[in-house]
Amino acid sequence: MRLWPLALFFSLALAARFAAFSVEPSGPQRLNLDTGVTTLPQGGVLVDNENGLRLKADYIEYKEGAFIRARALELLSAKETFRAQTLEHDIPKGEARFTALAFANADFKDLRAGRALALFNEDIVVLKGQVRAASPDLQAEVLVVDLKAREALVLGSFLYREGRATLRGQGPAARLHLRFAGDKVQASTKLPPEASRLATYANKLP
């Protein structure tokens, strides 16, 4: 059976594909023959054996080639961890919307936002609504992350701390660019040319 003919999360979980997967329901597994929708009302686990991805949720609903919906979920890959209250994944568009997202990888520790949009084919994640990260120490209104290039752009008011240094931005015009190199973070309010490309993604998540 095939489920996600798409690029999954973040070139990662956001970038591999749920191409060949197994289903481990926690309870009944119901297929609606009229709509083609399969529901796991008590949740379960979808395992991508080919790409090493694992989706565990309290509730899962999916239609092959169309969508996946999940609640109270955890998505794991070799390098990233995603936890969210809800997932709405549009397979043809190659994008997913999350609420109450918590994300962690080599660059971000405990990155949280009220809502988020993952653009799988472009390795981009847009986060909005009380964006917070434990590392790097960041508070923001909007954050756009390029997972492949390992850079991020903060838009709007922000607070960033690194050691004894603190950077603040006020108002919708404030900007902060982050670049990750090894275990170091380079933060600057002087934007490189590629920052304008990242800014255009912010409007994709209302």
Side-chain angles (χ1 to χ4, degrees):
M1 182 183 295
R2 295 178 61 86
L3 179 55
W4 284 12
L6 51 98
L8 178 73
F9 216 97
F10 315 131
S11 167
L12 24 91
L14 273 159
R17 294 176 178 271
F18 259 115
F21 72 96
S22 60
V23 181
E24 303 172 10
S26 297
Q29 182 174 352
R30 299 168 181 166
L31 171 62
N32 187 316
L33 296 178
D34 293 328
T35 64
V37 175
T38 299
T39 302
L40 308 181
Q42 296 179 19
V45 178
L46 303 183
V47 178
D48 178 355
N49 298 299
E50 182 177 343
N51 295 297
L53 300 174
R54 179 182 176 91
L55 172 65
K56 180 179 180 181
D58 289 351
Y59 174 92
I60 299 174
E61 180 180 286
Y62 65 88
K63 182 176 181 180
E64 184 175 346
F67 66 81
I68 297 173
R69 298 173 184 144
R71 295 199 295 262
L73 64 111
E74 178 181 67
L75 177 63
L76 302 176
S77 75
K79 297 181 179 180
E80 296 81 20
T81 299
F82 305 90
R83 295 184 175 89
Q85 184 58 42
T86 66
L87 163 68
E88 293 275 348
H89 178 55
D90 187 317
I91 293 175
K93 290 183 178 180
E95 63 183 45
R97 295 177 185 270
F98 298 84
T99 62
L101 176 67
F103 170 73
N105 70 352
D107 295 330
F108 288 98
K109 306 301 180 186
D110 196 23
L111 174 59
R112 296 176 179 268
R115 61 191 191 281
L117 170 66
L119 303 173
F120 300 122
N121 297 329
E122 299 174 77
D123 295 324
I124 296 292
V125 184
V126 183
L127 305 101
K128 292 187 177 182
Q130 297 183 328
V131 180
R132 300 287 187 275
S135 176
D137 188 348
L138 175 68
Q139 299 177 28
E141 296 178 351
V142 180
L143 178 67
V144 179
V145 181
D146 185 328
L147 294 164
K148 185 175 182 179
R150 298 185 66 195
E151 62 180 331
L153 180 66
V154 176
L155 299 94
S157 298
F158 66 84
L159 175 62
Y160 174 82
R161 298 186 182 94
E162 183 177 352
R164 297 181 179 180
T166 299
L167 294 175
R168 297 176 184 270
Q170 297 293 330
R175 298 288 186 272
L176 177 68
H177 183 262
L178 303 175
R179 187 183 302 278
F180 300 88
D183 59 353
K184 302 294 184 181
V185 184
Q186 301 170 352
S188 177
T189 55
K190 185 177 181 180
L191 303 184
E194 61 266 27
S196 59
R197 176 184 64 87
L198 293 178
T200 62
Y201 288 105
N203 293 331
K204 294 182 179 293
L205 179 63

